[in-house]
Amino acid sequence: AQKITQTQPGMFVQEKEAVTLDCTYDTSDPSYGLFWYKQPSSGEMIFLIYQGSYDQQNATEGRYSLNFQKARKSANLVISASQLGDSAMYFCAMRQTGGGNKLTFGTGTQLKVEL
Amino acid sequence: DAGVIQSPRHEVTEMGQEVTLRCKPISGHNSLFWYRQTMMRGLELLIYFNNNVPIDDSGMPEDRFSAKMPNASFSTLKIQPSEPRDSAVYFCASRDNRAGVYSNQPQHFGDGTRLSIL
């Protein structure tokens, strides 16, 4: 069974600092995709960044980047130059293959950016 | 561009009543997903459709839940009869699969419906 693990229920970071949110996954499938979503207190789910299992480069999207370590089965999200608006819940998700395009979500990490 | 539109945003009703949640996916997206989010269980996939056809409903909790997608621009999730344990935020999401299931296209979520069953 495919599984996503986010071991940090809560994280604090000071404004303008970088922060890394951990995500590990377990799959026996060689082809998979990893997604990160942000859920602010207002409740909506916002797509941030994607990493494919065959991608040679780590994904980047503005201040977001993925530290993808395939051998370790980890896909950590790095947010650079944190802003107060980055305070939110962050979810890592994996696309299941062989079962269509379903996503399995981790339990999330609550990030709080402080002055 | 309009995103995924869900209605209502909030619903409060008494147990035993029928509840209908509605979703309009992004135009051109051919996959649609219904999720439920609770503190205890996190985000759970209930059912998803490809080209209006239900593909996997293994996450639907029980027979009280049903979902339909009569056309490419509309889907409903119905709970009948509702129970207090159904209280949750229900999300609808859509995805463009035209580049293939394994493309980098993400699922786009609506703002959710916060459902409270008294």
Side-chain angles (χ1 to χ4, degrees):
Chain A
Q2 294 164 323
K3 187 178 177 181
I4 290 279
T5 303
Q6 295 181 256
T7 57
Q8 307 153 312
M11 291 278 287
F12 290 90
V13 65
Q14 286 206 313
E15 197 180 22
K16 300 179 186 176
E17 297 292 310
V19 63
T20 298
L21 307 183
D22 294 342
C23 173
T24 58
Y25 57 91
D26 186 21
T27 180
S28 56
D29 202 315
S31 176
Y32 51 89
L34 296 155
F35 300 78
W36 278 91
Y37 284 84
K38 172 184 178 183
Q39 187 176 37
S41 57
S42 48
E44 68 270 31
M45 294 284 287
I46 302 166
F47 165 69
L48 296 178
I49 195 167
Y50 166 84
Q51 181 83 45
S53 60
Y54 293 122
D55 292 344
Q56 296 296 312
Q57 307 260 352
N58 284 347
T60 61
E61 204 63 62
R63 293 187 299 111
Y64 304 109
S65 61
L66 259 171
N67 182 1
F68 181 48
Q69 298 189 41
K70 195 169 180 177
R72 293 187 175 184
K73 294 188 176 180
S74 73
N76 299 338
L77 177 70
V78 180
I79 305 174
S80 62
S82 297
Q83 302 171 356
L84 294 177
D86 294 332
S87 295
M89 182 73 92
Y90 289 81
F91 291 96
C92 181
M94 179 166 60
R95 179 188 58 227
Q96 300 183 20
T97 54
N101 55 84
K102 298 190 293 187
L103 290 179
T104 301
F105 282 84
T107 52
T109 295
Q110 182 73 49
L111 177 67
K112 173 78 171 172
V113 180
E114 300 175 316
L115 290 171
Chain B
D1 290 340
V4 176
I5 299 172
Q6 290 187 246
S7 64
R9 286 299 311 276
H10 303 272
E11 174 93 8
V12 180
T13 192
E14 293 188 345
M15 68 175 291
Q17 296 297 307
E18 178 179 291
V19 173
T20 300
L21 310 182
R22 297 172 175 80
C23 176
K24 177 179 170 55
I26 293 172
S27 178
H29 283 196
N30 50 354
S31 282
L32 183 139
F33 307 81
W34 282 101
Y35 291 88
R36 178 172 68 176
Q37 185 178 34
T38 61
M39 289 293 292
M40 291 295 294
R41 301 175 67 91
L43 261 165
E44 304 173 276
L45 178 67
L46 301 177
I47 186 171
Y48 83 94
F49 298 82
N50 278 350
N51 298 315
N52 313 339
V53 176
I55 301 300
D56 187 338
D57 65 354
S58 59
M60 295 286 261
E62 47 199 272
D63 292 346
R64 297 184 298 107
F65 285 68
S66 62
K68 293 182 179 179
M69 192 165 185
N71 57 61
S73 58
F74 184 65
S75 177
T76 59
L77 178 68
K78 190 171 291 188
I79 309 172
Q80 167 63 19
S82 57
E83 297 182 4
R85 60 191 168 124
D86 302 330
S87 298
V89 179
Y90 290 81
F91 286 102
C92 176
S94 71
R95 182 176 188 260
D96 182 352
N97 279 351
R98 287 172 291 183
V101 168
Y102 307 125
S103 76
N104 61 356
Q105 290 296 310
Q107 293 181 18
H108 296 268
F109 283 73
D111 288 342
T113 294
R114 186 172 295 275
L115 178 63
S116 297
I117 309 296
L118 306 177

